[in-house]
Amino acid sequence: MNLLWLAMPLRLLLAFGVLLVLGWAALPDSWLYQAVLTPHLLLAVAALMKLASLGGAALLAARVARRLEVGNPIRRAWWTFAAGMGLMFAGQLALAPEQIVHGTSPFPSIADVFFVGAYPLLTLALIFFLLAYRSVGFLVGSFAERLAIVGGVLVLSVVIGYPILTPVIEAELGGVEKLLNLGYPVLDFVLLAPLALLLRVGFGFGGSQVGRVWLTFLSGFVFVCVGDIVFAYFSTLDLTHLDPFLHANYILAYGLIADGVNQQAALLDG
C-alpha cells in the first residue's frame, strides 16, 4: 500500500523540519535554539527524519520492483535502487545512535562504509533506468545530445571540484578522512552524469504525473550531490558551525527521493 494519502501531511512535515533546522543555522545563539530547541535535540530530530525518508524510500522502491513483471527492463533498476537506498539507510542507522544519544556526528565512522557502498549501486540504478527507457522507446536524446550533456557535467565537475577539492588535497588530514572527503565528491560527480541524462528524460514528460514523479525523485539526488560536495569543503576547513545547513539539505534531499518513489508506487496502484 502506498502512502499517497499521506503525501501532503508528510510534505508539510518535511518542510517544517527543513525550516526548523534552517532556523537553527541562521539563529544558533538565540534563546529558542539554546534553551528549547537545543542543537542536541535538533540533531536527533534530523537523524530520525533522515532515517524515515531513507527507510521509506528503500521499502517503497522494493515494492515497486516487486509489482513489475519479470522481464520488464526497469525492474532491475528499481531493485538496484532499493539496494542502494537500503545501504544509505544502514549508514544513517549506524550514525543515528551517536546523533540521538550523544548529539555528535563522528566522521569518519562505520556509517561511511555503508554510504560509500551505496553510491555504485545508486549510479548503476540510474544507468539501468536510462537503458530501460531507451529500450522501450522513450526519448533519451540523440547521441550528440547525450554527449553534450555528459560533457557539460564534466566541465561543471571541474569548475566546481577544483576550488573545493584543492583545499582537501592540501589539508593535513588523516588518511581515511582525506580519502572520504575526496571520495564523496568524486562519487557524486560520477553520479551526476546519468542523473543529468535522466533529468533530460524527466523534462521530456512535461507536466504529466510521470514527469512530476521523476523531477521530484531526481531533484532529491541533486541535493544529495550538493550536500556531499559542500560537506567535504566544510569538513576540511572545520566549518562545523555551518553543519545545520547540511542537515537541512539532507533532510530535503532524502525527503524528495522518498516522495518521488511513493508517487511512483501510487502510479502502479492506479
Side-chain angles (χ1 to χ4, degrees), residues 46 88 100 115 129 174:
M88 293 288 285
I100 294 171
F115 288 138
F129 280 124

Side-chain angles (χ1 to χ4, degrees), residues 36-255:
V36 183
L37 301 175
T38 63
H40 188 169
L41 174 61
L42 286 175
L43 187 60
V45 169
L48 291 173
M49 292 189 74
K50 293 173 196 175
L51 276 174
S53 292
L54 290 169
L59 291 173
L60 285 166
R63 185 177 185 282
V64 169
R66 286 195 301 269
R67 290 291 305 277
L68 296 169
E69 65 276 10
V70 176
N72 188 320
I74 208 168
R75 191 171 192 259
R76 67 172 179 174
W78 280 110
W79 275 124
T80 307
F81 174 76
M85 293 307 291
L87 283 178
M88 293 288 285
F89 173 78
Q92 182 58 42
L93 187 63
L95 197 57
E98 286 289 338
Q99 294 177 327
I100 294 171
V101 177
H102 301 294
T104 60
S105 297
F107 175 77
S109 72
I110 188 63
D112 293 293
V113 175
F114 298 105
F115 288 138
V116 170
Y119 277 85
L121 287 174
L122 294 174
T123 302
L124 194 59
L126 296 184
I127 293 172
F128 285 160
F129 280 124
L130 275 171
L131 294 175
Y133 278 130
R134 185 181 179 188
S135 70
V136 296
F138 282 108
L139 296 177
V140 295
S142 64
F143 175 76
E145 186 178 356
R146 297 196 302 272
L147 190 62
I149 291 173
V150 173
V153 169
L154 179 60
V155 171
L156 184 65
S157 298
V158 172
V159 169
I160 295 175
Y162 180 78
I164 289 178
L165 296 184
T166 298
V168 179
I169 295 171
E170 296 175 348
E172 295 182 2
L173 300 173
V176 175
E177 185 177 358
K178 176 173 284 192
L179 183 63
L180 288 172
N181 276 334
L182 289 171
Y184 280 122
V186 170
L187 289 169
D188 283 304
F189 289 140
V190 173
L191 183 70
L192 278 174
L195 177 59
L197 292 170
L198 274 173
L199 280 170
R200 186 256 180 243
V201 176
F203 282 119
F205 288 120
S208 67
Q209 190 172 0
V210 174
R212 289 193 297 273
V213 167
W214 278 100
L215 291 179
T216 301
F217 174 74
L218 296 172
S219 62
F221 275 101
V222 172
F223 280 105
V224 168
C225 292
V226 170
D228 287 346
I229 294 167
V230 173
F231 171 79
Y233 188 73
F234 285 2
S235 175
T236 300
L237 299 182
D238 198 28
L239 301 175
T240 54
H241 64 287
L242 297 176
D243 282 354
F245 288 107
L246 287 172
H247 291 301
N249 179 88
Y250 284 120
I251 292 171
L252 179 60
Y254 300 154

